[in-house]
Amino acid sequence: MTLLKQYPKFRRVLLGEGLAMAGEAAFSIALAWLVITATGSIVALAGVLLAQAIPRGTLLLLGGALTDRFSPGRVMLVCHLGRAGAMALVSIMSFTGTVQLWQLYVLAAITGTASAFFAPASEAVLPRLLPKQDLPQGNAVQGAVAQAAFIVGPMAGGVLTAWGGAGLAIAVNARDPHSPSGYQCSHTELERSLRHRAADAGNFPQ
């Protein structure tokens, strides 16, 4: 709690990324349910999960290289925008009853690719927001938020899916990235931190 009070930028970025991780966990539940209800096939579900997992695992090194070359905040924002656009389209198709299996494969591949680029960018954020001596505590807090998100996210996804269908759960996760919370919160605060980094050079690591 002391760390969160002492560094408001870290607190806001952590809030945004916590919401993003919870949304991704909720989306996984909704996607699985959508595949099952659309096809009734466990094989199809396994295929969609593989379409998400393969690019996530194979593109991590490329994601790290891009993070080193470009601003981590911009990489994260592009990932959020790509995921949100794909989810919005699939959500509309789900509501209209026109969703097809190949579209779910494409959606899974897009979200898996976005995760591969997002993960190294997210890891590069923390050293830019906290001084070196507070990094161990910051890592611990970040890990606790991630664990909480992966507990709350599936529960929220299950409730939304049961209440309004998978399309609603996906639509909620594809909310406007330019809203003041969630995705844009983390990007905005990170960019502010990077712009003021020169002024804080005496306190923050290079």
Side-chain angles (χ1 to χ4, degrees):
M1 294 301 297
T2 301
L3 197 68
L4 295 176
K5 292 178 181 178
Q6 187 175 0
Y7 302 106
K9 293 177 182 178
F10 170 68
R11 181 178 66 245
R12 295 185 185 115
V13 169
L14 198 65
L15 171 62
E17 293 315 307
L19 291 174
M21 287 185 286
E24 184 174 0
F27 163 73
S28 298
I29 298 298
L31 178 63
W33 183 255
L34 184 58
V35 173
I36 290 296
T37 54
T39 66
S41 171
I42 299 298
V43 175
L45 175 59
V48 170
L49 294 179
L50 280 175
Q52 188 178 42
I54 290 175
R56 181 186 297 167
T58 58
L59 297 177
L60 274 174
L61 291 178
L62 179 59
L66 284 180
T67 299
D68 291 336
R69 183 173 181 181
F70 300 102
S71 164
R74 295 187 183 278
V75 173
M76 292 160 66
L77 182 60
V78 170
C79 293
H80 290 324
L81 290 172
R83 290 177 71 251
M87 289 182 189
L89 288 175
V90 172
S91 177
I92 293 172
M93 294 174 186
S94 176
F95 283 128
T96 58
T98 59
V99 65
Q100 299 180 24
L101 181 60
W102 70 268
Q103 296 164 343
L104 300 180
Y105 276 105
V106 172
L107 173 62
I110 291 175
T111 56
T113 300
S115 295
F117 289 96
F118 177 85
S122 178
E123 292 177 0
V125 168
L126 196 60
R128 304 183 184 219
L129 296 175
L130 296 175
K132 186 176 182 179
Q133 65 270 19
D134 288 325
L135 284 178
Q137 290 183 353
N139 280 318
V141 173
Q142 189 179 48
V145 169
Q147 292 301 318
F150 291 136
I151 293 174
V152 174
M155 294 173 59
V159 170
L160 286 172
T161 300
W163 180 53
L168 175 63
I170 295 175
V172 170
N173 194 37
R175 63 195 179 280
D176 182 10
H178 292 88
S179 64
S181 62
Y183 298 158
Q184 186 64 14
C185 170
S186 62
H187 171 72
T188 301
E189 293 303 323
L190 176 58
E191 290 301 315
R192 287 176 181 170
S193 176
L194 296 179
R195 285 197 300 267
H196 291 87
R197 192 177 173 193
D200 297 333
N203 298 321
F204 288 81
Q206 299 298 318

